[in-house]
Amino acid sequence: MVTVTIKDIAEKAGVAKSTVSRYLNNGYVSEQTRKKIDAIIEETGYRPNTFARSLKAQDTKLLGVIIPRLDSPSTNSVLEGIDETARKNGYQLLITNSNQNEERELENIEMLVKQKVAGIIMLAREITSELAQVLQQLTVPVLMLGQHLQGVHSIVHDDYRAGEKLAEYAIELGHRSFLFIGVTEKDEAVGILRKKGFTDVVAQMEGTKLSFIETSFSRSETYQKARLFLKENQATYLACATDNIAVAVLKAAHELGLRVPEYFSLSGFGGYDSTDYVFPTITTTHYPYHQLGVDAVETIQKLIQKVQVPELIKLPNQLVIKQSTIPIEQIP
């Protein structure tokens, strides 16, 4: 089998070897030249020597990714975006799971650094003082997703605004009695910001009543708790910090004979597919998880190449109204 080299590609394209090298390293090449090289690479089946290129460019073309747990629809969607964009940009992935354990999280960071990854993308669980200290001392470019730590580049969802949107919508429907089902405040995005956005809007409306229940990200745990607290519930609108929590509450309500939305309106956060495969379908705030993965790879690549990017990037979200919420006057 004949080995195709950069020189061969350059001769066929009628350009300099340096132009082909820029193309392979995602540098600037005119659109016309890029299309020509694309076609030649497709025709010849050329595959770059990633290891050799990485030694010269000091970019291993290897990205480390740390996820908090395996059973998360949002994480899976983010990973799809990361994988798709990493492959397109010539990077391989090393994906590690911390399983919501701080010690494993720190071990994963150490392992990825030893593997000489070009950069680390981290889907943050909670930011402890030890994790903050480690991240701020790393020489490897790091990008945090979902949480923000001062001094570390981050891409986050606008969780506070998402909470505001749901509360504004619920108030427009005429609801004045609310129950917010959340998670630990150790998780700033899900545990604090979503709840705060919701709470701040409700607090501005006179005559409202708002109570809170804390659960976990586990659907099974939430389901068991919901079978108890729903028996005492007086709120007409239940806001759940995640779609998984909302699905668990809906299941418990069905089993207790409490029809949604006739007994109470129900909503979540995330925009998971699961909200479309239950009855009633669940009102939610859709987060662009796949786009987060795409943006993550493009941003970490810029950091690797020492291109300046904003320390904090916020992604917008969208309220999606479905069958689980109705105006207060429609509740019997």
Side-chain angles (χ1 to χ4, degrees):
M1 182 177 179
V2 178
T3 302
V4 180
T5 67
I6 289 180
K7 181 181 178 182
D8 296 329
I9 300 296
E11 288 177 352
K12 283 180 176 290
V15 299
K17 285 173 59 179
S18 59
T19 302
V20 179
S21 180
R22 283 202 309 278
Y23 165 92
L24 293 172
N25 287 286
N26 299 299
Y28 174 75
V29 177
S30 71
E31 186 63 24
Q32 182 179 358
T33 301
R34 183 174 295 278
K35 288 181 178 178
K36 187 185 295 185
I37 296 175
D38 278 341
I40 293 169
I41 287 178
E42 180 69 25
E43 173 192 337
T44 60
Y46 172 74
R47 292 292 179 270
N49 186 330
T50 303
F51 182 68
R53 283 169 55 206
S54 68
L55 290 177
K56 183 176 181 180
Q58 295 185 337
D59 178 352
T60 61
K61 290 297 178 183
L62 188 62
L63 296 178
V65 181
I66 301 174
I67 62 174
R69 61 187 190 278
L70 295 171
D71 59 343
S72 167
S74 59
T75 296
N76 292 340
S77 187
V78 174
L79 284 176
E80 287 176 1
I82 289 175
D83 179 66
E84 170 188 302
T85 313
R87 182 176 177 82
K88 178 181 176 182
N89 291 357
Y91 285 92
Q92 297 294 320
L93 300 177
L94 267 181
I95 301 173
T96 64
N97 171 38
S98 63
N99 202 32
Q100 297 188 352
N101 180 281
E102 181 185 359
E103 186 175 343
R104 281 187 61 174
E105 203 166 49
L106 296 173
E107 288 174 356
N108 288 337
I109 293 172
E110 182 180 3
M111 182 274 291
L112 291 173
V113 171
K114 287 180 178 179
Q115 292 293 324
K116 300 188 183 301
V117 295
I120 296 174
I121 298 172
M122 182 173 185
L123 283 73
R125 179 183 60 93
E126 67 177 86
I127 303 173
T128 64
S129 56
E130 187 173 3
L131 175 61
Q133 184 177 6
V134 169
L135 292 178
Q136 289 167 336
Q137 291 176 348
L138 288 179
T139 56
V140 175
V142 176
L143 179 66
M144 186 175 291
L145 305 184
Q147 310 275 8
H148 179 227
L149 171 65
Q150 193 71 32
V152 177
H153 286 86
S154 308
I155 305 178
V156 301
H157 299 290
D158 195 345
D159 287 286
Y160 181 83
R161 181 59 189 137
E164 286 185 317
K165 287 178 184 176
L166 271 181
E168 289 165 356
Y169 166 67
I171 287 173
E172 285 175 7
L173 293 179
H175 293 276
R176 296 296 182 266
S177 178
F178 304 94
L179 172 62
F180 192 96
I181 306 164
V183 298
T184 173
E185 292 192 352
K186 291 180 180 179
D187 186 312
E188 182 181 6
V190 182
I192 297 178
L193 294 178
R194 295 180 187 181
K195 180 170 70 175
K196 182 168 174 52
F198 192 91
T199 301
D200 286 353
V201 169
V202 169
Q204 293 172 14
M205 175 64 65
E206 291 186 7
T208 57
K209 180 181 179 181
L210 175 60
S211 55
F212 303 93
I213 286 179
E214 183 177 309
T215 184
S216 72
F217 288 96
S218 166
R219 278 187 294 190
S220 60
E221 181 178 331
T222 299
Y223 161 73
Q224 295 297 338
K225 285 189 174 183
R227 285 185 59 86
L228 298 176
F229 69 69
L230 286 179
K231 293 177 182 178
E232 309 297 329
N233 173 61
Q234 297 297 316
T236 63
Y237 193 102
L238 274 59
C240 302
T242 73
D243 285 341
N244 274 344
I245 291 174
V247 168
V249 171
L250 181 61
K251 175 178 170 60
H254 282 326
E255 294 186 1
L256 293 171
L258 307 175
R259 290 176 60 85
V260 176
E262 290 84 358
Y263 188 82
F264 56 78
S265 286
L266 177 70
S267 61
F269 290 82
Y272 299 171
D273 288 345
S274 59
T275 60
D276 286 324
Y277 293 93
V278 293
F279 182 80
T281 56
I282 299 174
T283 292
T284 184
T285 303
H286 182 267
Y287 283 44
Y289 291 116
H290 185 274
Q291 187 60 45
L292 174 60
V294 172
D295 292 350
V297 175
E298 293 178 349
T299 301
I300 196 71
Q301 183 173 1
K302 289 177 181 177
L303 293 175
I304 292 167
Q305 296 171 348
K306 302 190 185 305
V307 175
Q308 189 171 2
V309 299
E311 181 178 306
L312 178 62
I313 299 171
K314 279 189 181 181
L315 298 183
N317 43 66
Q318 179 182 4
L319 179 64
V320 182
I321 300 170
K322 300 180 186 176
Q323 300 169 336
S324 65
T325 48
I326 57 174
I328 186 68
E329 62 265 21
Q330 293 182 20
I331 294 181

